[in-house]
Amino acid sequence: MLVWLALSIINSSMVHTFLRHSLFYENPRYIMFIYMVINDALQLSLVTALYVVSYIFRKIHASVCCFLIMTAVLTTRSTPLILAGMAVERYISICFPLHYSQMCTIPRTLLLICVILILTVTPPISDLIITIINEPISFFHSTIFCDHPLLFRHQSIYYKNCVFDGVYLSFVALTLLYTYCKIMLTAQAASAGLASVRRARNTVLLHGVQLLLCMLAFVVPSLQAALISLFPRFSLEIRYIFFLVVYIIPRFMSPVIYGFRDEHFRKYWTRYLACRSQRVIRIKPLLLKVNL
């Protein structure tokens, strides 16, 4: 909960910085970035809520669980596609700088976000439709332990998601690999080794690391089940470790990639944080006087 709170404060300060300055929401790069920040914040909040609920209540209403699981799956699957879109934007800015303003526009960026939402909302909706067809209505009025395999139990859902995840994660991995190689070739061709090219190359490389961490979310359930079956006494500890590695650590990557590394955004972001801290310092003596 403390990690969730810290990340929520960081993410909300970034969103506030983005909204306060028009130069950010008129730039496709920062629009994609803030979309990832909001998506990560929502995903982390939902996953943390599911995790806490599983400890406190154990079983909850199936319809409530369905809403939480579907939203969490949507946001989890959105992250790799957002990474691919951001990598392509970097590739265009480095390899086609003269055509960047024509190729990367605000309407096209918003269209890309809509396409990502459609692609990621399709699997959970199809899961729900298959479950409605194969399960009695009473199932949605029962209480269950809120977990994806326990909610969407039909065997066809498992195979469908395996195919979907394999295809779209392969597409994202190939996109990142292609853009990284192209940026590397551009960096070698640049006579002076431009700082912008090096920064873009490192950014795409960090996107690759972020993608690997995100892909763990699709491998962990089977690995976690195997470890729990081998060490049932440590089931809570195993779930907690996987929760930190798979869902918490990758959420730190987005602020690092843009919030700290991007000089332009960092200047406005640190200025906002400094103003907020000064306000807190000014308010504290006033509160003390009131209490006295």
Side-chain angles (χ1 to χ4, degrees), residues 39-51:
N39 181 80
D40 285 353
L42 181 60
Q43 194 260 0
L44 183 63
S45 298
L46 287 167
V47 171
T48 304
L50 283 169
Y51 190 79

Side-chain angles (χ1 to χ4, degrees), residues 13-21 24-25 30-31 34 265:
S13 66
M14 286 185 169
V15 173
H16 194 272
T17 302
F18 173 85
L19 294 174
R20 285 186 65 184
H21 304 283
F24 290 132
Y25 51 81
Y30 295 107
I31 292 175
I34 213 65
F265 190 86

Side-chain angles (χ1 to χ4, degrees), residues 274-286:
C275 291
R276 294 292 296 179
S277 61
Q278 287 178 1
R279 287 180 184 177
V280 171
I281 292 171
R282 290 173 183 173
I283 290 172
K284 279 185 177 180
L286 293 175

Side-chain angles (χ1 to χ4, degrees), residues 90-105:
R90 283 286 185 171
Y91 160 71
I92 294 172
S93 68
I94 296 300
C95 298
F96 303 99
L98 298 178
H99 303 283
Y100 178 82
S101 57
Q102 289 81 29
M103 297 176 72
C104 295
T105 61

Side-chain angles (χ1 to χ4, degrees), residues 1-2 17 41 45 49 63 70 87 102 269:
M1 291 297 293
L2 288 175
T17 302
S45 298
S63 57
M70 288 179 65
Q102 289 81 29
W269 185 39

